[in-house]
Amino acid sequence: MIALFTDFGLADPYVGQVRAVLAMQAPGVPVIDLFHAVPNFGIQAGAYLLPAYTQYLPPGTVVMAVVDPGVGGPRRAVFVRAGDRVYVGPDNGLFVVLAERTPGATSFEITWRPPRTSSSFHGRDLFAPVAAMLARGRMPDSHPTVLTAPADGPWPRDLPRILYIDHYGNAVSGMRAETLSAQASLRVGSHVLTQARTFAERAPGEGFWYENANGLVEIAVNQGRADQVLGLALGDPIAIV
Amino acid sequence: MIALFTDFGLADPYVGQVRAVLAMQAPGVPVIDLFHAVPNFGIQAGAYLLPAYTQYLPPGTVVMAVVDPGVGGPRRAVFVRAGDRVYVGPDNGLFVVLAERTPGATSFEITWRPPRTSSSFHGRDLFAPVAAMLARGRMPDSHPTVLTAPADGPWPRDLPRILYIDHYGNAVSGMRAETLSAQASLRVGSHVLTQARTFAERAPGEGFWYENANGLVEIAVNQGRADQVLGLALGDPIAIV
Amino acid sequence: MIALFTDFGLADPYVGQVRAVLAMQAPGVPVIDLFHAVPNFGIQAGAYLLPAYTQYLPPGTVVMAVVDPGVGGPRRAVFVRAGDRVYVGPDNGLFVVLAERTPGATSFEITWRPPRTSSSFHGRDLFAPVAAMLARGRMPDSHPTVLTAPADGPWPRDLPRILYIDHYGNAVSGMRAETLSAQASLRVGSHVLTQARTFAERAPGEGFWYENANGLVEIAVNQGRADQVLGLALGDPIAIV
């Protein structure tokens, strides 16, 4: 399986062109659009969402992860073996949190280059072909070089900020819920929120935090939009009180 | 074939995670993203759109239909055999219109539970595995219990309200066009609209109602946005005049 | 491979219903959602984006291209053999630029009709079945008629206007970059922009034009939204200065 995790959005032709490459170069391999809504150029947000959103993918999955504002510049291309999965993308910090949290994770530089590369779309021209190779059990380079100092980082293991607001208005943070006590209260803006296990535990319109289905602390309002009800925006800090 | 009908949207990681489960548990079965834009928590809107949008799917299709504001609460899980298709989802009214309109439709409670379930994402953790089982000809429970009193309902067979506004600005109602005379006029807000068979029958900018490609009464404006030109919003009532 | 290029958007049920038809009638053929965001009813924008966005698709690809404001009226249905690919859709100008630029391109009228056709959704009812036939090596008509005078056009080979604004805010034009010197400056609104090869060549917030990954002239701002920074909108003219 190949899973895609990018900031490409779905409206533009970019995901379709990546999929066309994968259909040609890895025929028969299922391709999953896991997440294309990383906030534009949001390397750090992507770095914290990536391990959460990919943790339930089956062993052997190749994740093509591309948030790449420096495309065309000097940043390297990498693939990272982390647990039973492989991640492919730019070496710009996107894999730092994943690598720090996964014992034995190893990053390899990709020096292979396709015959023709655009200057702005390495997702299609470089990373998709490499993802196709890896999904078919081939290596892009015959003697891959281990990267001992991946770009950027280290970053904290958990980031107490709002990194993504989903279409229900729920605010997803970069904190793993397992690091918090269920008795913890969280302050965001002027609101102090306690924990709930399910939406149904709270009255309609009431705000709370809970462990979302990907293990992250998420701020929600039962049958309402937390972003509007609580006045939340991307990047807002969250404090444990 | 497995078809997905939800309020998950496409931007968030939810559809991708459902698809990853289906790719693992029903490998080789085509999966169709039929509709993920049921208005958030809109059980009733979903109930009227579901039979319309799924009526042309081939015999044997398994429809995973999830609009589930009560997830984590006491609502049951069901699958419904209706005609040649099977529907899987929460027992909260979403299948009421489908069942009432389909002779012989039968609802079964799902008591099977996966080893691990999140409290907020039964689409991924419960309904997708059950859809995969049914698509492969297996039953989730060895002796499924017929539900004689499905949750909620009965609701009217047709709902004269605007349930969905598509990206062209066309307003889709919960009324089947076959229940109306082509001579009927419809009042919505301060506008009275007559029927057209095609967009091309009307002058650009002119409003009308017509039978859309899924058999529903739809309000449209030739080469314009009906929602803006006519001032329409979700939930607006429609009167036959 | 079948690639889809439409103005259907992704939120509505239209793409899913097309895919259900293709899954039934061309089982096993990969289907790619290449682009569903042609501006609504934007035949001319679609005509210039179509050859750019489909040029890297593999030989043998069937492209179903539907931007069809005249559906239900007298416009013909066509398929166009252009290079190694086949295009299927309405004969309303959408294929004019493709045909003019591709030596030997030939348009054929489709007279085949399905047993049942809605008046508003020929994408699902007519073009998808024909695309499925062509993808399986069958012809919709036993003696297809060559169209010697395709509808509309001729149009200029390049269109110096903004035809699409992507989700990063980059503005895509209808001009092929190969027709311009790298020394050319472009005026759009009150701004005069010079060429860059990559985003990384410019300071954050600076505007420029470049050859995008599909060979078109695109106006961008490094790490910013060109539409907002430069005040750009769909249809804005671009002048070479």
Side-chain angles (χ1 to χ4, degrees):
Chain A
M1 187 184 302
I2 297 171
L4 307 179
F5 177 100
T6 77
D7 69 345
F8 294 172
L10 279 168
D12 302 334
Y14 311 130
V15 171
Q17 295 192 326
V18 164
R19 281 183 158 271
V21 170
L22 296 174
M24 281 186 274
Q25 300 187 11
V29 176
V31 179
I32 302 289
D33 290 307
L34 186 65
F35 191 54
H36 292 296
V38 177
N40 292 354
F41 323 129
I43 295 169
Q44 198 175 49
Y48 286 92
L49 296 174
L50 181 65
Y53 287 176
T54 59
Q55 66 187 306
Y56 300 118
L57 296 176
T61 298
V62 175
V63 180
M64 181 185 120
V66 182
V67 180
D68 198 13
V71 62
R75 66 100 188 91
R76 293 170 296 196
V78 290
F79 68 95
V80 181
R81 293 200 176 282
D84 291 325
R85 291 180 283 270
V86 187
Y87 295 75
V88 183
D91 183 38
N92 59 10
L94 187 58
F95 303 114
V96 161
V97 178
L98 173 83
E100 285 176 0
R101 287 191 196 158
T102 313
T106 313
S107 299
F108 299 91
E109 184 169 2
I110 300 167
T111 61
W112 176 84
R113 289 295 178 273
R116 183 182 179 288
T117 314
S118 67
S119 59
S120 58
F121 195 7
H122 289 191
R124 178 190 70 189
D125 298 334
L126 173 58
F127 299 121
V130 170
M133 288 179 210
L134 291 166
R136 297 169 65 209
R138 298 189 185 173
M139 297 291 279
D141 299 295
S142 47
H143 297 87
T145 308
V146 173
L147 278 180
T148 48
D152 219 333
W155 292 338
R157 287 200 162 207
D158 290 87
L159 188 67
R161 289 189 181 274
I162 294 174
L163 300 185
Y164 181 66
I165 294 176
D166 76 10
H167 85 294
Y168 299 107
N170 298 335
V172 179
S173 80
M175 306 160 76
R176 287 167 296 173
E178 67 185 33
T179 67
L180 284 193
S181 157
Q183 277 70 49
S185 294
L186 299 181
R187 176 183 291 129
V188 55
S190 60
H191 300 275
V192 174
L193 304 168
T194 58
Q195 191 257 14
R197 201 181 55 82
T198 70
F199 282 65
E201 284 178 23
R202 296 299 174 97
E206 192 183 343
F208 57 93
W209 73 265
Y210 79 113
E211 174 172 351
N212 76 12
N214 294 301
L216 296 174
V217 169
E218 181 170 309
I219 295 168
V221 162
N222 187 21
Q223 296 178 43
R225 292 193 64 92
D227 57 345
Q228 294 177 2
V229 172
L230 304 174
L232 308 178
L234 286 180
D236 282 359
I238 299 167
I240 304 169
V241 293
Chain B
M1 186 185 302
I2 297 172
L4 307 179
F5 177 101
T6 77
D7 69 345
F8 294 172
L10 279 168
D12 302 334
Y14 311 131
V15 172
Q17 295 191 326
V18 164
R19 281 183 158 272
V21 169
L22 296 174
M24 280 186 274
Q25 300 187 11
V29 177
V31 179
I32 302 288
D33 290 307
L34 187 65
F35 190 54
H36 292 296
V38 177
N40 293 354
F41 323 128
I43 295 169
Q44 198 176 47
Y48 286 92
L49 296 174
L50 181 66
Y53 286 176
T54 59
Q55 65 186 307
Y56 299 119
L57 297 176
T61 298
V62 175
V63 180
M64 181 186 119
V66 182
V67 180
D68 197 13
V71 62
R75 66 100 187 92
R76 293 170 297 195
V78 291
F79 70 95
V80 182
R81 293 200 175 280
D84 290 326
R85 290 180 283 270
V86 187
Y87 296 75
V88 183
D91 182 38
N92 59 11
L94 186 58
F95 303 114
V96 161
V97 179
L98 173 82
E100 284 176 359
R101 287 192 196 157
T102 313
T106 312
S107 299
F108 299 90
E109 184 170 1
I110 300 166
T111 60
W112 177 84
R113 289 294 179 274
R116 184 182 179 288
T117 315
S118 67
S119 58
S120 59
F121 195 7
H122 290 190
R124 178 189 71 189
D125 298 334
L126 173 59
F127 298 122
V130 170
M133 288 179 211
L134 291 165
R136 298 170 65 209
R138 298 188 185 173
M139 296 291 278
D141 299 294
S142 48
H143 297 87
T145 307
V146 173
L147 278 180
T148 49
D152 219 331
W155 292 337
R157 287 200 162 207
D158 291 86
L159 188 67
R161 289 189 180 274
I162 295 175
L163 301 185
Y164 181 66
I165 295 176
D166 77 9
H167 86 293
Y168 298 108
N170 298 335
V172 180
S173 80
M175 307 160 75
R176 287 166 297 172
E178 67 186 32
T179 67
L180 283 193
S181 158
Q183 276 69 49
S185 293
L186 299 182
R187 177 183 291 126
V188 55
S190 59
H191 300 274
V192 174
L193 304 168
T194 59
Q195 191 259 13
R197 202 182 54 82
T198 70
F199 282 64
E201 284 179 23
R202 297 298 174 96
E206 192 182 342
F208 57 92
W209 73 266
Y210 80 113
E211 175 173 352
N212 76 12
N214 294 301
L216 296 174
V217 169
E218 182 169 310
I219 295 169
V221 163
N222 188 23
Q223 296 178 42
R225 293 192 64 92
D227 58 345
Q228 294 176 2
V229 172
L230 304 174
L232 308 179
L234 286 181
D236 281 359
I238 299 168
I240 304 170
V241 292
Chain C
M1 186 184 304
I2 297 171
L4 307 179
F5 177 100
T6 77
D7 70 344
F8 295 171
L10 279 168
D12 302 333
Y14 311 130
V15 172
Q17 294 191 326
V18 165
R19 282 183 157 272
V21 170
L22 296 174
M24 281 186 273
Q25 300 188 10
V29 177
V31 179
I32 302 289
D33 289 308
L34 186 65
F35 191 54
H36 293 296
V38 177
N40 292 354
F41 323 128
I43 295 169
Q44 198 176 49
Y48 286 92
L49 296 174
L50 181 66
Y53 287 176
T54 60
Q55 65 186 306
Y56 299 118
L57 296 176
T61 298
V62 175
V63 179
M64 182 186 118
V66 182
V67 179
D68 198 12
V71 62
R75 66 102 187 91
R76 292 171 297 197
V78 291
F79 69 95
V80 181
R81 292 200 175 281
D84 291 325
R85 291 180 283 271
V86 187
Y87 295 75
V88 182
D91 182 38
N92 59 10
L94 187 59
F95 303 114
V96 162
V97 178
L98 173 83
E100 285 176 0
R101 286 190 196 159
T102 313
T106 312
S107 299
F108 299 90
E109 185 170 1
I110 300 166
T111 60
W112 177 84
R113 290 293 178 276
R116 185 182 179 287
T117 315
S118 68
S119 59
S120 58
F121 195 8
H122 289 190
R124 179 191 70 189
D125 298 334
L126 173 58
F127 299 122
V130 171
M133 288 179 210
L134 291 165
R136 297 169 66 208
R138 298 189 185 173
M139 297 291 279
D141 299 294
S142 47
H143 297 88
T145 307
V146 173
L147 278 180
T148 49
D152 218 333
W155 291 338
R157 286 200 163 208
D158 290 87
L159 188 67
R161 288 189 181 275
I162 295 174
L163 301 185
Y164 181 66
I165 295 176
D166 77 9
H167 86 293
Y168 298 108
N170 299 335
V172 180
S173 80
M175 307 160 75
R176 287 166 297 174
E178 67 185 32
T179 68
L180 283 193
S181 157
Q183 276 70 48
S185 293
L186 298 181
R187 176 183 292 127
V188 56
S190 59
H191 300 276
V192 174
L193 304 169
T194 58
Q195 191 258 13
R197 201 181 55 80
T198 70
F199 282 64
E201 284 179 23
R202 297 300 174 97
E206 192 182 343
F208 58 93
W209 73 265
Y210 80 113
E211 175 173 352
N212 76 11
N214 294 302
L216 296 174
V217 168
E218 182 169 310
I219 296 168
V221 162
N222 187 22
Q223 296 178 43
R225 291 193 65 92
D227 58 344
Q228 294 177 1
V229 172
L230 303 174
L232 308 178
L234 285 181
D236 282 358
I238 299 168
I240 305 170
V241 293

